[in-house]
Amino acid sequence: MIVAGFGGVLVELLRDSAVELAPINAAEGVAMLRRLKGAPLFDGFRGGPAVNLARLAEILVRVSDWRPISKIS
């Protein structure tokens, strides 16, 4: 499973997260991020810059595909 959400107290306050079965692809990553209640923040807020959503989704994709490295004996 891969979970995305805004960190810190916002997770608890807003109860805002998106969950998918791992691994995910880039389109699923963007869709997860867009499902968040706080998604409008990605577009820039109060003059802040917009987030590169494709790049953020790519990070989710890479984390969702993580596999532990086996120990070398």
Side-chain angles (χ1 to χ4, degrees):
M1 301 296 287
I2 182 84
V3 180
F6 290 92
V9 297
L10 290 178
V11 171
E12 298 169 31
L13 179 67
L14 300 176
R15 297 188 186 337
D16 187 15
S17 60
V19 180
E20 287 290 342
L21 186 60
I24 62 170
N25 62 37
E28 291 168 324
V30 169
M32 285 178 70
L33 295 168
R34 284 287 173 206
R35 282 199 309 266
L36 296 172
K37 294 174 193 171
L41 292 171
F42 295 134
D43 299 324
F45 184 73
R46 290 189 163 185
V51 172
N52 184 337
L53 214 53
R55 180 69 183 123
L56 187 55
E58 182 59 31
I59 293 168
L60 288 175
V61 168
R62 293 178 75 180
V63 170
S64 79
D65 197 35
W66 177 80
R67 291 180 187 94
I69 298 173
S70 59
K71 293 182 181 180
I72 299 174
S73 302

